[in-house]
């Protein structure tokens, strides 16, 4: 990546910045009628609020450091025409653009870049229009999941959206990379539940599903939308849910039989015929009591789209070892279950889901793989031993698949991890107690994470080893001099057929490769 032309552009970009930022601002002002309000939407490093605004938009604190390249200009448009104008003025004045909705990108693609760039921040584009009669909602890209779920719950308790569980993840990034959550086994991915979308294309035109065509509509629902344009809003398909769902939490340490339990969990939950059942799990090490001996604790968080009376016979038959009893089952509305999965009591006022600063910010590095065959107990014991080498900063999150996912072919959307996938295994380390991700302790944690990845190799999908693009990871490789180079990361995220289709669509809709980043869909003819 650090080739000659790259360094050249980097040097050049610094001399461009000062010259163009005023031209950019004049361009925006001349094309929009209300210059007074426009000046409130544009922030340059001269504004005292510039750095605090940028910092508040970065959701992974790992990137909050001096060495992270910042935008030349931040623009916070409030309507579609402002997005259009911002984009065209950026392009005409030699800037790249970065598009930020929720700011959770694992590699910071939405808020950092080595070339001079305008950050288009969609924080003010967050309207949500729920239509119960047609079971759909138009949602602007910058709206976050907590706000969407809250808006739905204000109108009905019997519709929901199959999105993710973290309240501050935005619709745009989630759907753009696929989108998995508690309703995955019943209604598949978020991208499978999009009816229409409005985007700004590379020429600045606003297109909807009909005018963009089915190929581009396919690509933005899992192929990372920022490769193809700026999504303004999505028309989401809302799905029926029961008025009350059942939620339970079980946790077990190794001493309490966690190994056998996890071994069975791997095949029971993804394979159960009842699509109403979903149990995610989280695994971490801890000290036993106040001793210096470590154990593993696995927390199983279950949600059933139905009553306790229906859940208990199912678990008694298929997974009695989990020990779920009526006493630990709690019936609640879907919006309350969202609170529980966000780590809050179900009785918390649901308005908290509209408060973005109420959700903590992470500082972590994550790697993901997909598992297609249950990891044998010998393998689990190796993973436990690896965790015993860790300083308690590591963890694993398991997102089960199955059910409805197998109703879609691997090419139905860019998200290819369908039939035969048991679960997503996401391992991560946090940088708690560290001032950055490059302190000696942080580097040790990263090295541990890499060694865990290596240890997992025989147990996860192979040829290619699959990973979830919403957990994007530059360690897989970057750049795309030719297909061989690009396939190293591209086929991990999308498998061959989908990656090749994304490349064909990219060549049609963005032949100059304007929407470009280190793991961007390549345009070979332009290189
Ligand atoms: C704590 C945490 C929990 C998570 N939980 C889940 C989960 O339950 N399920 C799940 O599937 N994923 C989950 N993720 C992953 C998450 O879906 C991705 O990180 C997603 O890309 C974040 O979207 P964002 O809009 O918040 O982030 P951003 O950083 O704003 O955007 C991410 C990517 O989308 C692009 N983008 C943003 N807005 C637009 C737009 N309007 N048009 C075009 N491109 C755009 C950005 O340029 C960037 O490439 C989680 C991530 C974190 C950090
Ligand atoms: C222009 O912006 C100002 C300040 O934001 C606002 O008060 C005014 O209503 C706007 N006028 C128009 C025509 O949009
Ligand atoms: C940012 O600075 C410019 C130039 O000094 C000024 O015109 C503009 O009003 C400032 N914007 C904000 C939001 O303070
Ligand atoms: C695990 O469960 C026990 C009770 O069974 C509870 O006291 C404890 O807080 C739980 N731990 C976690 C981390 O959830
Ligand atoms: C842990 O330490 C406390 C006091 O330091 C002690 O009272 C308690 O018995 C210890 N528990 C165990 C399990 O050793
Ligand atoms: C939002 O949450 C933050 C952090 O918990 C809190 O300080 C703030 O008061 C909350 N804002 C509202 C409007 O409730
Ligand atoms: C792809 O590019 C790499 C590095 O530039 C080179 O080594 C390799 O031979 C190329 N492969 C093909 C098939 O062109």
């Amino acid at each position: 990546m650090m080739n000659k032309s790259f360094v050249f552009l980097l040097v050049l970009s610094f001399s461009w910045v000062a010259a163009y930022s005023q031209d950019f601002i004049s361009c925006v002002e001349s094309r929009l009628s209300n210059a007074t309000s426009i000046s409130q939407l544009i922030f340059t490093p001269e504004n005292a609020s510039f750095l605090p605004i940028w910092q508040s938009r970065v959701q992974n604190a790992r990137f909050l450091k001096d060495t992270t390249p910042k935008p030349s200009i931040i623009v916070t448009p409030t309507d579609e025409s402002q997005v259009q104008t911002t984009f065209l003025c950026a392009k005409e004045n030699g800037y790249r653009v970065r598009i930020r909705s929720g700011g959770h990108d694992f590699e910071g693609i939405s808020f950092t870049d080595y070339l001079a760039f305008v950050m288009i921040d969609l924080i003010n584009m967050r309207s949500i229009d729920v239509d119960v009669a047609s079971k759909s909602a138009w949602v602007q890209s910058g709206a976050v999941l907590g706000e969407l779920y809250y808006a739905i719950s204000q109108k009905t308790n019997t519709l929901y959206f199959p999105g993710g569980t973290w309240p501050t993840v935005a619709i745009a990034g989630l759907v753009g990379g696929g989108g998995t959550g508690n309703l995955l086994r019943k209604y598949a991915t978020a991208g499978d539940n999009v009816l229409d979308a409005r985007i700004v294309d590379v020429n600045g035109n606003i297109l909807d599903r009909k005018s963009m065509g089915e190929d581009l509509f396919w690509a933005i629902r899992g192929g990372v939308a920022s490769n193809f344009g700026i999504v303004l809003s999505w028309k989401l398909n809302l799905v029926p849910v029961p008025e009350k769902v059942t939620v339970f939490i079980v946790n077990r340490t190794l001493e309490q039989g966690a190994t056998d339990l996890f071994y069975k969990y791997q095949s029971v939950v993804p394979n159960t015929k009842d699509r109403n059942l979903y149990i995610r799990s989280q695994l971490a090490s801890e000290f036993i009591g106040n001793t210096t001996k470590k154990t593993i604790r696995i927390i199983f968080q279950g949600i059933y789209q139905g009553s306790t009376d229906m859940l208990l016979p199912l678990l008694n038959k298929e997974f009695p070892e989990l020990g779920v009893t009526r006493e630990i089952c709690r019936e609640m509305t879907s919006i309350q279950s969202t609170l529980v999965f966000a780590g809050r009591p179900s009785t918390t006022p649901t308005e908290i889901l509209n408060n973005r600063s109420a959700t903590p910010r992470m500082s972590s590095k994550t790697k993901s793989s997909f598992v297609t065959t249950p990891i044998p107990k010998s393998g689990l014991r190796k993973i436990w031993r690896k965790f015993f080498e860790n300083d308690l900063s590591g963890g694993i999150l398991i997102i089960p698949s199955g059910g409805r996912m197998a109703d879609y072919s691997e090419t139905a959307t860019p998200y290819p991890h369908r039939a035969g996938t048991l679960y997503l295994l996401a391992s991560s380390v946090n940088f708690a107690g560290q001032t950055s991700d490059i302190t000696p302790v942080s580097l040790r944690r990263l090295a541990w994470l890499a060694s865990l990845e290596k240890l997992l190799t025989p147990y996860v999908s192979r040829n290619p080893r699959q990973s979830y693009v919403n957990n994007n990871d530059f360690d897989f490789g970057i750049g795309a001099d030719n297909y061989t180079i690009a396939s190293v990361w591209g086929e991990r995220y999308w498998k061959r057929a989908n990656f090749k289709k994304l490349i064909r669509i990219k060549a049609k809709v963005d032949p100059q490769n304007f929407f470009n980043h280190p793991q961007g869909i390549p345009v070979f003819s332009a290189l």
Side-chain angles (χ1 to χ4, degrees):
M1 201 49 201
M2 270 290 183
N3 58 27
K4 257 183 244 148
S5 64
F6 178 74
V7 174
F8 175 68
L9 283 172
L10 190 67
V11 171
L12 209 60
S13 67
F14 287 126
S15 50
W16 284 352
V17 178
Y20 278 95
S21 75
Q22 196 45 54
D23 292 357
F24 168 82
I25 293 168
S26 307
C27 173
V28 173
E29 281 174 352
S30 71
R31 290 187 203 181
L32 289 174
S33 47
N34 198 338
T36 336
S37 67
I38 302 309
S39 76
Q40 301 306 305
L41 303 178
I42 300 179
F43 304 87
T44 68
E46 283 97 71
N47 297 105
S49 50
F50 178 83
L51 194 59
I53 286 183
W54 181 82
Q55 287 167 338
S56 74
R57 302 305 197 260
V58 173
Q59 284 296 317
N60 192 335
R62 177 160 76 96
F63 295 99
L64 292 177
K65 51 187 178 187
D66 294 346
T67 49
T68 303
K70 316 286 188 300
S72 302
I73 303 164
I74 298 173
V75 187
T76 57
T78 57
D79 64 34
E80 293 190 342
S81 71
Q82 289 181 359
V83 176
Q84 238 175 340
T85 301
T86 303
F87 173 69
L88 286 172
C89 288
K91 201 177 154 194
E92 286 167 22
N93 286 287
Y95 287 109
R96 294 222 281 201
V97 298
R98 284 290 178 258
I99 314 155
R100 196 213 78 112
S101 286
H104 285 282
D105 193 274
F106 283 84
E107 292 292 1
I109 288 169
S110 58
F111 51 78
T112 185
D113 189 358
Y114 285 96
L115 298 180
F117 73 105
V118 173
M119 179 171 127
I120 302 181
D121 178 18
L122 297 176
I123 192 151
N124 293 323
M125 304 271 294
R126 59 211 275 186
S127 75
I128 299 171
D129 187 6
V130 175
D131 183 33
V132 172
S134 68
K135 298 193 173 65
S136 65
W138 270 106
V139 181
Q140 283 188 316
S141 278
V144 299
L145 291 172
E147 295 161 356
L148 171 65
Y149 298 146
Y150 177 80
I152 298 171
S153 75
Q154 289 303 98
K155 297 222 167 155
T156 175
N157 278 327
T158 55
L159 292 176
Y160 224 59
F161 181 70
T165 48
W166 196 255
T168 50
V169 166
I171 306 299
L174 180 92
V175 172
T180 63
N182 289 356
L183 288 164
L184 188 75
R185 301 194 68 259
K186 189 153 187 187
Y187 296 114
T189 69
D192 297 319
N193 288 279
V194 177
L195 303 168
D196 204 339
R198 290 173 63 76
I199 71 166
V200 174
D201 75 1
V202 75
N203 301 312
N205 299 316
I206 294 184
L207 307 176
D208 65 3
R209 178 173 183 171
K210 194 149 178 263
S211 51
M212 80 177 81
E214 287 304 304
D215 275 356
L216 183 50
F217 184 65
W218 178 87
I220 59 173
R221 292 174 298 132
V224 180
S226 53
N227 281 306
F228 303 96
I230 305 172
V231 183
L232 298 164
S233 57
W234 310 84
K235 186 181 186 186
L236 305 178
N237 174 45
L238 303 183
V239 299
V241 292
E243 216 160 334
K244 292 284 173 75
V245 298
T246 304
V247 171
F248 59 89
I249 299 177
V250 171
N251 75 62
R252 293 273 192 283
T253 60
L254 296 184
E255 293 66 31
Q256 295 166 331
T259 306
D260 288 349
L261 210 52
F262 188 84
Y263 177 73
K264 185 158 182 191
Y265 159 81
Q266 301 179 86
S267 50
V268 168
V269 175
N271 289 328
T272 179
K273 291 216 163 44
D274 192 337
R275 297 177 175 194
N276 295 309
L277 183 68
Y278 177 91
I279 307 176
R280 84 172 179 192
S281 67
Q282 294 183 65
L283 182 164
S285 57
E286 64 182 38
F287 287 107
I288 302 176
N290 16 4
T291 70
T292 54
K293 197 169 171 283
K294 282 180 183 168
T295 186
I296 302 284
R297 183 183 298 277
I298 306 179
I299 305 177
F300 298 91
Q301 298 165 297
I303 178 166
Y304 186 73
Q305 301 294 316
S307 65
T308 310
D309 286 339
M310 289 162 70
L311 168 67
L312 289 177
L314 171 73
L315 286 179
N316 281 339
K317 184 162 156 268
E318 297 194 22
F319 202 9
E321 300 86 345
L322 193 57
V324 174
T325 58
R326 188 171 294 277
E327 289 63 45
I328 66 163
C329 288
R330 309 260 304 286
E331 294 187 353
M332 60 184 75
T333 57
S334 289
I335 191 77
Q336 289 177 311
S337 76
T338 290
L339 290 167
V340 173
F341 276 78
R344 297 182 185 280
S346 62
T347 49
T348 312
T350 54
E351 283 71 28
I352 200 163
L353 294 167
N354 279 339
N355 181 352
R356 295 186 185 192
S357 34
T359 297
R361 174 154 63 183
M362 302 282 164
S363 180
S364 56
K365 168 79 187 173
T366 300
K367 293 183 168 293
S368 70
S369 298
F370 285 91
V371 174
T372 51
T373 316
I375 301 176
K377 287 181 193 173
S378 59
L380 294 177
R381 288 191 195 97
K382 281 187 194 157
I383 297 171
W384 307 162
R385 282 198 293 276
K386 178 55 72 179
F387 266 84
F388 296 152
E389 296 168 12
N390 175 263
D391 63 358
L392 309 191
S393 63
I396 284 180
L397 174 68
I398 305 287
I399 301 290
S401 191
R404 178 90 181 125
M405 291 297 275
D407 295 349
Y408 290 82
S409 79
E410 283 185 2
T411 56
T413 72
Y415 185 99
H417 324 286
R418 302 281 186 172
T421 298
L422 292 178
Y423 56 86
L424 169 78
L425 186 161
S427 27
S428 52
V429 289
N430 66 57
F431 302 108
Q434 297 301 300
T435 51
S436 84
D437 61 352
I438 51 169
T439 64
V441 172
S442 295
L443 293 175
R444 266 206 303 281
R445 292 178 185 174
L446 287 168
W448 176 83
L449 184 65
S451 69
L452 174 63
E453 274 299 281
K454 200 166 161 217
L455 186 152
L456 289 172
T457 306
Y459 309 118
V460 300
S461 64
R462 262 165 288 175
N463 304 317
R465 180 168 181 168
Q466 292 164 248
S467 295
Y468 181 25
V469 71
N470 267 350
N471 297 143
N472 54 345
D473 185 350
F474 286 172
D475 294 349
F476 299 158
I478 54 173
D481 285 353
N482 54 42
Y483 186 81
T484 313
I485 302 272
S487 67
V488 172
W489 47 266
E491 291 189 3
R492 277 184 86 135
Y493 295 143
W494 296 294
K495 293 197 181 174
R496 181 160 301 178
N498 288 351
F499 189 41
K500 290 200 158 168
K501 183 170 174 182
L502 288 167
I503 292 171
R504 285 198 300 276
I505 295 168
K506 174 81 176 178
K508 275 200 202 128
V509 305
D510 182 20
Q512 304 301 317
N513 203 5
F514 180 77
F515 294 109
N516 183 11
H517 62 82
Q519 284 182 346
I521 305 292
V523 178
F524 293 119
S525 54
L527 287 163

